[in-house]
Amino acid sequence: MTQATTTRRGLLGGTATGNGRTLIRGADLLTMDDKLGEMKQADLLIEGDRIARIGPDLPAGNAEVIEGRGMILMPGMIDGHRHVWESPFLGELVKTEPKRYGTYIPFNNQRVGVCMTAEDVYFGNWLGGTVMIDSGVTSVLDQAHVIHTAEKGHAAAKGLQDSGIGGVFCFQITHSPTYGAGATLPAAQAAAEFGAPADEAHLAWAKATRDRYFTDASAPLRFGIGLSGLSVERGRTIDSVRWELEQARALDPFLMTLHGHKVAHLEAAGLLGPDLHLSHGNGLSDAELAVMAKHDVKLSCSTMGEYAYDQPQAHGRARAAGVSVGIGMDVPVALNHDYFEHVRASFWSLYRSPASTKLSNDYTSTDVLSFATSLGARSIGMGDEVGTLTEGKRADLLLLRTDRFGFASKGGLADRVVNFAHWQDIDSVWVAGTAKKRGGSMPGVDWRTVKMRAKAIQDRVIPQAKSIIFT
């Protein structure tokens, strides 16, 4: 017997069929697929976790039908570099107070993170993943550099997984602090512990977390590794760098990520490969970008997170060099969580250098949006899975309302989204075919209670962090 079709506008009202088939009817499709382009008043059929069909007047059959006329359907966005665990501490540090923000590493990483419990880390990653989905980010590369114990490793992975977001969870295999709340120690010691190379304990914890939470290679969230800086400076040898990479690769991660851009010595040692992802990238030369493109090394630039630094972001030149490059928030403790703002910043920040300014002259709005969709997906190794509305890809989707006055009705779809869309315009979000946001809200998420829990963690952890004295 055929199940009755349920029709909704933007998932408001009605009852889902629950059969894994959803038809979004008559939306304007911003596909980000070069072959499909922008499609007016088209249909998209979801079956299970995949985009099954795209085209006009598709038969609904027994699918749940969502009326999308007047709305824009686009791929879920990609955040290529974020430290998700920081999410409960939003506002503790802000970029608009540069002197205070200058304490980010000694305060945030060497104090706050050290004082968090495993339960705090779980909540931080669940919260961060949930907020990202609410704001239109459906895949993230999370560099979890708060893993000081095996329990924190399990908690970070489970929290992000429970949020339902896709992407890569990168288990940081470094940083074993020997101190806690109330301690007094030399600042140099704390910095050395934070910047230490990988160790056997973290490698064992990473393996245990992988085996517990990441046994399904087709799941939206994959297992990755967060490396140390892999710097040969300060007495570290290339042999120790090689050992760390060999040990990390033995864990069969989907991707490995690291801060910085130690391209030259890694190439000389034959250690570059497509499983390597670099974050930031300020100061990368054209020659280094060419080397990265040759070895398919990925890159993410934090276009708002790094805006105050002396060296302009490399994402424009990286794209021109053929590097798989995306953007990311980096520090959710300090920045606006409306990801459309980061998309816009990816364009405006091009004007910080003459070379990127010249490149920007030939950009289109589609090029700008690609940093957070099609190109961004390639930057986390998932270009064949997400980032475009393409038949057979995972159904990670955003449905945007356009009835707000400030959402322009003129121009192409990419023009309108890149320049005028905001978090508040997101009606619905799907991750792997599952509706995570409906009618502008997230079912089962009580934001008032969530914010109260975040505040309780702030009220306990921040005083503890301030009790640690560096001399």
Side-chain angles (χ1 to χ4, degrees):
M1 181 176 179
T2 302
Q3 191 166 359
T5 297
T6 300
T7 301
R8 304 177 182 168
R9 174 156 183 85
L11 290 173
L12 287 171
T15 302
T17 60
N19 62 6
R21 301 182 77 248
T22 302
L23 180 67
I24 304 168
R25 175 80 78 193
D28 293 334
L29 271 54
L30 175 52
T31 71
M32 298 304 296
D33 182 311
D34 291 339
K35 294 180 180 179
L36 297 176
E38 298 184 354
M39 304 172 64
K40 293 295 185 70
Q41 297 183 18
D43 302 342
L44 183 146
L45 177 65
I46 302 169
E47 289 186 348
D49 66 347
R50 298 286 148 178
I51 299 172
R53 290 188 64 189
I54 295 173
D57 303 318
L58 298 179
N62 63 347
E64 171 191 7
V65 177
I66 296 170
E67 179 55 63
R69 282 178 296 182
M71 306 174 82
I72 296 175
L73 187 67
M74 63 173 284
M77 292 186 285
I78 314 296
D79 186 309
H81 177 66
R82 191 179 298 209
H83 304 296
V84 181
W85 66 268
E86 300 175 4
S87 300
F89 304 99
L90 177 64
E92 180 62 31
L93 297 171
V94 293
K95 289 279 186 176
T96 51
E97 290 194 3
K99 288 183 179 179
R100 190 159 67 95
Y101 185 79
T103 67
Y104 169 76
I105 290 178
F107 182 71
N108 191 69
N109 297 82
Q110 298 170 17
R111 289 186 175 97
V112 173
V114 169
C115 293
M116 293 174 72
T117 65
E119 291 76 15
D120 297 336
V121 171
Y122 172 90
F123 177 75
N125 265 26
W126 174 87
L127 172 63
T130 301
V131 169
M132 278 187 279
I133 293 171
D134 192 41
S135 64
V137 174
T138 54
S139 292
V140 64
L141 190 150
D142 174 25
Q143 186 166 1
H145 59 359
V146 71
I147 299 174
H148 311 126
T149 64
E151 291 74 21
K152 284 188 178 182
H154 287 321
K158 187 71 165 73
L160 197 63
Q161 195 174 69
D162 283 355
S163 76
I165 200 165
V168 191
F169 168 77
C170 289
F171 188 114
Q172 185 81 18
I173 53 174
T174 65
H175 194 194
S176 298
T178 58
Y179 59 92
T184 298
L185 69 155
Q189 177 186 334
E193 291 182 6
F194 177 67
D199 57 39
E200 294 282 3
H202 277 86
L203 289 163
W205 301 341
K207 182 179 183 300
T209 296
R210 181 202 67 184
D211 293 347
R212 184 169 180 177
Y213 296 109
F214 298 96
T215 57
D216 182 0
S218 65
L221 188 67
R222 311 291 174 77
F223 171 78
I225 290 291
L227 299 162
S228 69
L230 299 184
S231 174
V232 293
E233 300 164 359
R234 301 175 185 173
R236 189 169 182 190
T237 67
I238 195 65
D239 285 340
S240 70
V241 170
R242 181 178 288 106
W243 178 87
E244 181 172 329
L245 274 169
E246 288 174 350
Q247 295 299 311
R249 283 179 167 137
L251 294 174
D252 195 26
F254 182 81
L255 204 61
M256 300 181 295
T257 190
L258 71 151
H259 285 94
H261 42 87
K262 310 300 180 184
V263 175
H265 72 257
L266 292 178
E267 184 196 24
L271 297 174
L272 294 179
D275 59 352
L276 199 60
H277 174 276
L278 309 184
S279 56
H280 306 308
N282 290 353
L284 282 167
S285 67
D286 289 345
E288 288 172 316
L289 291 171
V291 168
M292 291 175 63
K294 174 184 175 183
H295 295 280
D296 194 19
V297 177
K298 281 77 173 172
L299 177 66
S300 177
C301 295
S302 304
T303 57
M304 288 177 70
E306 301 173 73
Y307 196 81
Y309 296 174
D310 293 335
Q311 295 172 321
Q313 293 92 331
H315 62 290
R317 290 186 300 111
R319 179 178 180 271
V323 176
S324 296
V325 58
I327 60 172
M329 177 186 283
D330 188 15
V331 286
V333 65
L335 292 171
N336 190 327
H337 284 236
D338 187 334
Y339 204 64
F340 290 111
E341 295 297 330
H342 296 265
V343 173
R344 285 184 272 275
S346 74
F347 182 69
W348 302 126
S349 60
L350 293 174
Y351 288 87
R352 294 186 60 231
S353 74
S356 294
T357 298
K358 184 177 180 180
L359 292 171
S360 72
N361 290 333
D362 294 322
Y363 269 44
T364 66
S365 296
T366 302
D367 295 330
V368 177
L369 188 57
S370 72
F371 286 119
T373 54
S374 54
L375 186 55
R378 295 204 297 271
S379 79
I380 63 169
M382 292 187 167
D384 293 334
E385 301 179 56
V386 296
T388 65
L389 303 186
T390 305
E391 291 180 1
K393 284 194 174 183
R394 198 167 75 213
D396 287 9
L397 317 170
L398 306 185
L399 188 61
L400 305 178
R401 301 191 68 91
T402 63
D403 51 358
R404 178 174 55 84
F405 174 76
F407 200 127
S409 57
K410 296 293 186 181
L413 301 181
D415 298 330
R416 295 165 66 195
V417 168
V418 168
N419 290 280
F420 303 108
H422 286 282
W423 186 346
Q424 71 198 77
D425 301 314
I426 300 173
D427 181 276
S428 303
V429 179
W430 289 263
V431 180
T434 297
K436 305 293 290 184
K437 185 172 185 174
R438 295 174 172 262
S441 64
M442 298 189 71
V445 179
D446 181 345
W447 287 111
R448 182 174 179 274
T449 300
V450 168
K451 192 165 186 176
M452 288 174 60
R453 182 168 177 185
K455 186 176 184 304
I457 293 175
Q458 296 167 12
D459 291 346
R460 171 172 44 83
V461 172
I462 296 300
Q464 292 177 352
K466 291 179 177 179
S467 74
I468 299 174
I469 307 301
F470 294 154
T471 59

